[in-house]
Amino acid sequence: MRIKDARVIVTSPGRNFVTLKIVTEEGVYGIGDATLNGREKSVVAYLEDHVCPLLIGRDARQIEDIWQLLYRGAYWRRGPVTMRAIAAVDVALWDIKAKSADMPLYQLLGGRSREKVMVYGHANGGDIAETVDAVGQYIDMGYKAIRAQTGIPGVKDAYGVGRGKLFYEPADATLASVTGWDTRKALNTVPKLFEMLRATYGFDHHLLHDGHHRYTPQEAANLGKMLEPYQLFWLEDVTPAENQEAFKLIRQHTVTPLAVGEIFNTIWDCKDLIQNQLIDYIRATIVGAGGVTHLRRIADLASLYQIRTGCHGATDLSPVTMGTALHFDTWVPNFGIQEYMRHSPETDDVFPHDYSFDKGFLICGETPGHGVDINEELAAKYPYDQRQLPIARLEDGTMWNW
Ligand code: GCO
Ligand code: MG
């Protein structure tokens, strides 16, 4: 089963997506997501100039060898651009393999470990009262788990305060827009939000919060401690994780569960965090961390330490990543939760898919492959639209982590 064609499709149905399509001589094709939010074109060039020519003529069934070829063969390892390109190839090849076997992808991975995949939605509000209302709307839709973010008085456009009810699109400007940050004010506000949420809705639902890399390890430990009475499902990205050791300090001071990894590319980014049991959930996902082939290795390492998965699933991960992640989640023994930020109707039309939502769970379909396709004619109607993620600055102008 030789690869005849490999090409990149860029489309912007509401936001930008980069998709790789691989076609075999037999006419079976597979697609993979290669979207890198705000830096999309770097992956397009990496794929078109350096990866696609290497694929032509290879046996599409040799997924592992092709993965190793692209990882070792480039000499320059890891990094978001390389690993997204590898992920796109890997997912397209798994799609082809599963279609050829006439099986949904989860069957090839080892079959079902569960009936359905628990997801969390994003509740956002300009202030605490609005966020409490937004959480109520998710509860009414049947969600079991909800991430809650609120505006912070005195902070311009604090992280996570969305435009739009069911999804939030941070890449909102041609060149990065400037938002504000103030840790003191955040530490005054976030615990009050969760106090109000538990007072209003009780303790039956899972509540999550994203710190989006804003706190120092000491501040993060303090936040984790203050949130303990509200029993969070997780506190995410509470400090940057380039220095994995930083989590030791946080861990010594709080039992609030910690989640990290949406910007990780390989197992090496989380090796120490996992082996020292410094986190509870690993957020690496299909498109970010080298596809199914590599994410499976991360999940297996995590399982040795009772660390569970929590795949990143924001709107900048295309339906192709969501569909593939759902097959992965349906199989992976140490599943924790799946993030589910809904896509716009325009995006859903360009990427027809067979997964469905039912009362707080997503269910992957039974179509052979990963169950997501691309309507190329429709995709061509939405040309690339230059957008970047915002940045954050402190009151005195100091550049901070967004
Ligand atoms: C999350 C995230 C995202 C990121 C986005 C960046 O937990 O869903 O932090 O919303 O900000 O994926 O492109
Ligand atoms: Mg996050």
Side-chain angles (χ1 to χ4, degrees):
M1 183 169 258
R2 302 271 154 205
I3 296 174
K4 191 177 78 182
D5 188 28
R7 63 199 161 78
V8 179
I9 303 157
V10 179
T11 180
S12 191
R15 72 160 344 282
N16 292 313
F17 294 108
V18 178
T19 308
L20 176 71
K21 183 165 187 172
I22 298 182
V23 187
T24 64
E25 279 171 355
E26 288 74 8
V28 183
Y29 70 88
I31 59 172
D33 177 23
T35 310
L36 180 58
N37 202 6
R39 297 290 186 269
E40 297 86 1
K41 293 238 173 138
S42 56
V43 195
V44 175
Y46 193 102
L47 281 167
E48 285 182 344
D49 296 344
H50 309 294
V51 172
C52 293
L54 266 178
L55 296 176
I56 308 303
R58 282 181 201 280
D59 185 341
R61 294 169 299 188
Q62 291 181 6
I63 299 178
E64 186 65 51
D65 185 65
I66 291 176
W67 197 98
Q68 299 293 338
L69 167 79
L70 297 177
Y71 186 80
R72 293 169 197 257
Y75 185 63
W76 312 107
R77 296 181 184 203
R78 307 162 64 184
V81 178
T82 300
M83 296 310 291
R84 270 175 157 76
I86 295 179
V89 174
D90 187 76
V91 167
L93 294 180
W94 277 105
D95 194 22
I96 289 173
K97 196 183 270 292
K99 282 177 178 170
S100 320
D102 200 24
M103 285 179 190
L105 176 58
Y106 74 84
Q107 291 290 10
L108 280 192
L109 298 176
R112 269 186 193 284
S113 297
R114 57 197 52 79
E115 303 287 311
K116 47 191 180 176
V117 168
M118 183 170 74
V119 297
Y120 70 90
H122 285 212
N124 309 304
D127 58 23
I128 291 180
E130 261 182 48
T131 306
V132 171
D133 276 358
V135 168
Q137 286 163 20
Y138 278 91
I139 291 174
D140 291 345
M141 285 186 281
Y143 279 81
K144 315 287 174 228
I146 303 127
R147 183 186 99 157
Q149 306 292 140
T150 179
I152 296 165
V155 174
K156 180 183 175 277
D157 300 331
Y159 168 76
V161 180
R163 297 150 278 270
K165 286 235 176 304
L166 287 170
F167 51 85
Y168 143 72
E169 178 45 69
D172 61 350
T174 308
L175 292 176
S177 59
V178 183
T179 66
W181 183 249
D182 184 321
T183 301
R184 177 67 260 148
K185 292 184 171 124
L187 290 174
N188 283 347
T189 307
V190 175
K192 284 188 197 135
L193 167 66
F194 285 90
E195 184 185 2
M196 193 59 83
L197 286 171
R198 287 308 189 198
T200 311
Y201 302 115
F203 280 76
D204 275 356
H205 294 88
H206 298 301
L207 295 179
L208 299 79
H209 184 71
D210 193 345
H212 226 252
H213 323 272
R214 303 285 168 100
Y215 304 87
T216 66
Q218 183 278 339
E219 292 160 353
N222 189 15
L223 178 62
K225 239 174 149 167
M226 287 194 285
L227 291 174
E228 279 173 14
Y230 316 116
Q231 301 278 301
L232 264 59
F233 184 91
W234 80 34
L235 181 58
E236 173 186 340
D237 284 341
V238 77
T239 201
E242 285 101 322
N243 174 18
Q244 299 180 34
E245 288 259 325
F247 279 75
K248 280 193 182 153
L249 190 146
I250 307 171
R251 206 51 154 177
Q252 277 161 12
H253 294 286
T254 181
V255 293
T256 293
L258 302 172
V260 179
E262 69 181 37
I263 66 170
F264 290 173
N265 314 131
T266 69
I267 200 163
W268 305 101
D269 298 326
C270 45
K271 172 181 152 286
D272 297 344
L273 286 171
I274 292 175
Q275 289 182 336
N276 295 314
Q277 292 179 258
L278 299 178
I279 55 172
D280 301 279
Y281 296 92
I282 179 70
R283 300 254 304 127
T285 192
I286 305 284
V287 65
V292 173
T293 298
H294 195 67
L295 190 62
R296 194 157 70 160
R297 303 220 151 96
I298 296 178
D300 280 344
L301 178 66
S303 78
L304 302 184
Y305 302 92
Q306 300 192 47
I307 293 167
R308 293 185 287 162
T309 63
C311 286
H312 186 205
T315 31
D316 46 295
L317 285 65
S318 93
V320 179
T321 286
M322 181 57 74
T324 311
L326 290 172
H327 284 269
F328 181 84
D329 297 336
T330 297
W331 157 73
V332 71
N334 50 323
F335 171 74
I337 199 166
Q338 168 68 51
E339 181 179 17
Y340 178 42
M341 232 167 135
R342 287 167 192 248
H343 290 111
S344 65
E346 292 81 3
T347 298
D348 284 339
D349 287 346
V350 169
F351 295 97
H353 51 260
D354 70 351
Y355 55 81
S356 54
F357 176 81
D358 185 33
K359 298 187 200 78
F361 296 88
L362 276 172
I363 299 147
C364 70
E366 293 292 320
T367 315
H370 55 45
V372 187
D373 208 343
I374 183 164
N375 178 336
E376 290 190 63
E377 236 173 83
L378 196 54
K381 296 197 175 135
Y382 298 102
Y384 181 69
D385 178 22
Q386 172 72 54
R387 298 272 159 181
Q388 292 195 358
L389 285 165
I391 58 165
R393 289 191 185 274
L394 306 183
E395 198 179 3
D396 68 359
T398 306
M399 183 73 189
W400 201 245
N401 308 317
W402 178 70

